Amino acid sequence: MEFAKQEYEFLSEIGLSPETPGCFVNGKWKAHGPTVSSINPVNNQKIATVVEASLEDYEEGMKACSEASKIWMELPAPKRGEVVRQIGDALREKLHHLGRLLSIEMGKILPEGIGEVQEVIDMCDFAVGLSRQLNGSVIPSERPNHMMLETWNPLGVVGVITAFNFPCAVLGWNACIALVCGNCVVWKGAPTTPLITIAITKLVSEVFERNKLPGAIFTSFCGGAEIGQAIAKDPRISLVSFTGSTKVGLMVQQTVHQRFGKCLLELSGNNAIIIMDDADIKLAVRSVLFAAVGTAGQRCTTCRRLLIHESIYQTVLDQLVDVYKQVKIGDPLEKGTLLGPLHTPESRKNFEKGIENIKSQACSIFLHCIGPILGGKILTGGSVIESEGNFVQPTIVEISPTADIVKEELFAPVLYVMKFQTFEEAVKINNSVPQGLSSSIFTRSPENIFKWLGPHGSDTGIVNVNIPTNGAEIGGAFGGEKATGGGREAGRSTAILHPQQNIYAMLYNSQEGSGQGLAMF
């Protein structure tokens, strides 16, 4: 069977077909759940058909994965690292095909699609080095002739539930480290990006097969909420990493904690950029454009709020509106496109609802004696683009920081702008929302920089200076505070989440007493 369009024929080179089972369980491809279509958001037409997992498929996969964990955890960490190195090489060989698929299925522009797959490759390289650095420590004992040791042992099985906006990068942040730490991985990809889930799994499974290791070490499911709930409830899964909305993340956390499992959450963001009166305006405007429009505003690190010092407010705003009007909107595969479509028709409807809510909050308010500010005034954009796809205009809205809608995350290219008078006021506005993922300040002042980075500065997990809110390097732990969930992915520090910490105390002379001044019986 051939793909409906010739432009999709390259998918056969990464193991995909027009009709594909969406579960890799016990080393085999099978599925007995509902049939769904992968849709191209450019035209809302079918790319391919995928059969999702049933609960019976899930149970079969989990049994095999649990058994495989006994083998995988016994393999020395450097040898596990070698397998992960080979996974990176397999992805590297198909980098451009995978990046193209990601752009077609998710809707992000091609450089972003390729860049996301490259991030998984980089995580493989990072994890390989980590596999030789999973060191313990020797701790001085307060008791004579005693020794204490700290070591790290595998958890067993780690569940990874990823979202549509980064359908493979988030897997890499978690799975690469989980694997070198000796854990098997159960992956549930986003329901609307099943093809990238299948393509990545096929390459990973081939590596395990070449190394004569059980395919169940890396088990994956295409499916919806039913499979996600099964993962959250399953006591065989020691750690669940979930990426998605705050609402669903809270439910996942409660379910996992009810069984005393570990939970790693990467949830909503509502990120602000502050432009001080001494900022490099040209640099700031360019950065805001990238942060607010990139990935069609569908990154958790997208800039959603722009705070501009009153003395340069109009200058910055005029330049920003001008560059917004120059943004090329169109097919993400076309060279020069900066803004592709939203991911689904539902996303487009949410954009329309958001714009209506913004308009409904329009009113003249008096803020901090600066003068009347119009809440909910659309300066540019604000409309959907009539087409077969899910295209919308990049939008700038002048609004009060106290408006209710500013506290919410509208997952679209909508930027709220507001003015401030002092550094302290800007920080207060930055910290006033429930979410706490990323933030940035543009300034040349060392005093403001160090205040911003200090305990009375930004309350986000990622704090930037003179760079956009979006984008992060794999060497640093990624995550945020408050309603963003408190989880951390990638980075060296994440290695303490995926293994189990053990403390061993031993007496090597039976004639010695116990601690705390007590005699041994």
Side-chain angles (χ1 to χ4, degrees):
M1 182 179 291
E2 295 182 349
F3 287 94
K5 290 191 174 184
Q6 188 174 0
E7 65 185 284
Y8 300 148
E9 288 299 324
F10 78 94
L11 297 176
S12 61
E13 297 183 40
I14 46 177
L16 298 176
S17 59
E19 296 180 2
T20 307
C23 306
F24 186 68
V25 298
N26 199 14
K28 297 178 182 177
W29 287 97
K30 58 172 65 176
H32 301 89
T35 299
V36 298
S37 295
S38 170
I39 302 297
N40 185 337
V42 167
N43 50 32
N44 286 313
Q45 295 178 7
K46 183 175 74 173
I47 305 169
T49 299
V50 173
V51 182
E52 292 185 325
S54 66
L55 286 178
E56 291 74 21
D57 295 324
Y58 173 81
E59 183 57 30
E60 180 183 348
M62 274 307 306
K63 283 182 179 178
C65 190
S66 295
E67 285 300 310
S69 71
K70 299 173 184 177
I71 298 172
W72 183 243
M73 67 174 57
E74 288 292 336
L75 204 66
K79 292 190 179 298
R80 297 193 296 256
E82 166 58 19
V83 174
V84 172
R85 185 194 66 79
Q86 293 176 35
I87 292 172
D89 284 348
L91 296 173
R92 188 176 283 111
E93 186 176 335
K94 300 294 185 179
L95 170 62
H96 290 278
H97 284 337
L98 291 169
R100 189 174 184 86
L101 165 60
L102 204 156
S103 293
I104 291 172
E105 189 173 42
M106 186 272 153
K108 63 179 60 178
I109 61 175
L110 185 57
E112 288 188 278
I114 293 172
E116 180 173 344
V117 179
Q118 182 63 51
E119 193 157 321
V120 184
I121 296 168
D122 293 343
M123 273 304 304
C124 288
D125 292 343
F126 181 85
V128 172
L130 190 64
S131 70
R132 293 182 180 272
Q133 300 177 57
L134 298 173
N135 308 320
S137 59
V138 178
I139 304 170
S141 174
E142 65 186 36
R143 296 165 287 183
N145 295 326
H146 283 68
M147 178 177 290
M148 295 177 66
L149 304 174
E150 176 191 65
T151 63
W152 302 91
N153 282 313
L155 291 170
V157 179
V158 168
V160 183
I161 302 174
T162 55
F164 75 87
N165 58 335
F166 281 89
C168 68
V170 175
L171 170 77
W173 295 348
N174 288 275
C176 296
I177 292 178
L179 287 170
V180 298
C181 288
N183 301 311
C184 290
V185 172
V186 172
W187 178 27
K188 190 195 89 68
T192 52
T193 54
L195 298 183
I196 194 68
T197 301
I198 295 168
I200 294 287
T201 302
K202 282 182 176 289
L203 291 171
V204 173
S205 66
E206 289 169 2
V207 171
F208 282 106
E209 184 177 358
R210 285 198 300 269
N211 284 273
K212 297 181 172 51
L213 289 165
I217 292 170
F218 190 93
T219 298
S220 75
F221 302 103
C222 294
E226 186 178 52
I227 301 301
Q229 290 167 0
I231 290 173
K233 293 177 181 178
D234 199 329
R236 294 168 294 189
I237 299 177
S238 300
L239 168 67
V240 176
S241 170
F242 172 83
T243 300
S245 70
T246 295
K247 179 181 177 181
V248 177
L250 182 59
M251 291 189 290
V252 170
Q253 183 184 56
Q254 291 170 341
T255 301
V256 173
H257 284 177
Q258 281 179 347
R259 59 177 177 84
F260 297 101
K262 293 184 177 183
C263 201
L264 192 165
L265 301 176
E266 175 54 52
L267 310 176
S268 303
N270 192 348
N271 316 292
I273 289 179
I274 297 170
I275 304 180
M276 297 297 296
D277 54 351
D278 64 340
D280 181 332
I281 294 178
K282 185 177 180 181
L283 173 65
V285 168
R286 189 167 64 246
S287 298
V288 170
L289 177 68
F290 172 65
V293 173
T295 325
Q298 297 171 114
R299 289 182 181 229
C300 51
T301 53
T302 291
C303 177
R304 309 206 180 275
R305 297 177 295 143
L306 177 60
L307 286 54
I308 309 172
H309 191 275
E310 60 175 344
S311 67
I312 58 169
Y313 182 79
Q314 201 58 49
T315 300
V316 172
L317 206 52
D318 289 346
Q319 292 187 27
L320 191 61
V321 169
D322 184 57
V323 295
Y324 258 61
K325 292 177 179 178
Q326 300 175 43
V327 170
K328 181 181 178 181
I329 306 168
D331 189 329
L333 297 180
E334 289 184 5
K335 188 175 181 180
T337 297
L338 182 60
L339 180 63
L342 293 174
H343 184 52
T344 63
E346 184 180 3
S347 302
R348 176 172 149 158
K349 289 178 183 177
N350 288 338
F351 170 85
E352 291 181 287
K353 290 178 184 177
I355 295 299
E356 288 305 312
N357 288 337
I358 289 166
K359 291 177 179 178
S360 71
Q361 293 186 24
C363 62
S364 183
I365 63 175
F366 199 78
L367 181 67
H368 298 302
C369 300
I370 294 172
I373 297 177
L374 195 62
K377 179 182 178 182
I378 296 174
L379 302 181
T380 186
S383 301
V384 299
I385 297 173
E386 294 303 322
S387 69
E388 293 179 317
N390 309 317
F391 295 95
V392 300
Q393 295 175 338
T395 302
I396 299 176
V397 178
E398 197 172 33
I399 198 167
S400 163
T402 61
D404 290 341
I405 198 168
V406 173
K407 312 295 182 185
E408 304 168 4
E409 182 187 41
L410 178 58
F411 224 52
V414 176
L415 178 66
Y416 301 121
V417 296
M418 52 205 77
K419 66 177 69 170
F420 67 90
Q421 290 180 312
T422 66
F423 170 84
E424 289 74 20
E425 181 188 3
V427 172
K428 183 178 180 180
I429 295 171
N430 176 77
N431 297 348
S432 67
V433 296
Q435 308 85 353
L437 178 54
S438 183
S439 58
S440 185
I441 190 170
F442 283 77
T443 181
R444 292 185 174 97
S445 165
E447 179 182 356
N448 286 338
I449 290 172
F450 286 104
K451 282 183 180 178
W452 175 245
L453 301 176
H456 299 294
S458 176
D459 66 357
T460 61
I462 302 170
V463 184
N464 303 290
V465 176
N466 293 326
I467 58 174
T469 52
N470 59 339
E473 296 187 31
I474 62 165
F478 181 95
E481 300 303 322
K482 302 190 296 187
T484 303
R488 294 296 185 273
E489 298 167 315
R492 177 73 174 84
S493 61
T494 310
I496 69 173
L497 298 174
H498 286 283
Q500 171 181 294
Q501 184 182 27
N502 296 102
I503 300 292
Y504 302 98
M506 63 186 75
L507 167 67
Y508 54 86
N509 183 338
S510 61
Q511 314 236 336
E512 294 299 332
S514 66
Q516 299 177 333
L518 301 175
M520 294 184 70
F521 293 102

